[in-house]
Amino acid sequence: QVQLVESGGGLVQPGGSLRLSCSVSGTIFSIHTMGWYRQAPGKQRELVARVTSGGGTNYADSVKGRFTISRDNAKKTVYLQMNSLKPEDTAVYYCNRDPSGIWYWGQGIQVTVSS
């Protein structure tokens, strides 16, 4: 069974940075396109960044130029570097395959951007 464990969240001031990590087990990690998703209170979960098996990346317009997704296939880990954080980035962040709906979701990690 695939397990996803997110880490690295927390409270940060506007303009600050955080780096999220997601450790994946129970699957051949390297062949999957991976995504970082987020869900803010009262909103639907949205895909904010994705990285293909070959390392190609795509970003939601709301985070383009501020967030960077990357992966380490040897460590079976996907990362999300978040810079210039804004209050509207506050959400629970999850990693999963893209498209989602095939694996269960992990517990997610809270990111709060507030002064």
Side-chain angles (χ1 to χ4, degrees):
Q1 183 173 341
V2 177
Q3 289 192 318
L4 307 166
V5 180
E6 299 94 348
S7 62
L11 173 64
V12 63
Q13 292 187 342
S17 297
L18 283 174
R19 188 193 195 206
L20 305 184
S21 300
C22 174
S23 177
V24 182
S25 60
T27 187
I28 304 174
F29 174 78
S30 61
I31 65 173
H32 299 299
T33 294
M34 294 296 300
W36 278 100
Y37 301 76
R38 69 185 180 188
Q39 187 167 21
K43 295 187 177 181
Q44 288 193 335
R45 186 149 37 198
E46 61 172 345
L47 176 67
V48 296
R50 63 193 291 271
V51 57
T52 68
S53 58
T57 58
N58 299 95
Y59 299 91
D61 287 344
S62 58
V63 307
K64 202 172 293 183
R66 301 187 298 121
F67 289 11
T68 302
I69 189 171
S70 61
R71 66 191 298 160
D72 185 330
N73 288 336
K75 294 183 178 179
K76 296 186 178 183
T77 300
V78 58
Y79 304 97
L80 187 67
Q81 177 67 44
M82 304 186 295
N83 299 328
S84 302
L85 282 160
K86 304 175 181 180
E88 51 263 44
D89 295 318
T90 295
V92 179
Y93 284 72
Y94 304 85
C95 71
N96 209 308
R97 281 181 63 173
D98 175 45
S100 63
I102 301 171
W103 296 344
Y104 289 112
W105 294 93
Q107 82 284 358
I109 191 77
Q110 178 70 46
V111 171
T112 302
V113 185
S114 176
S115 55

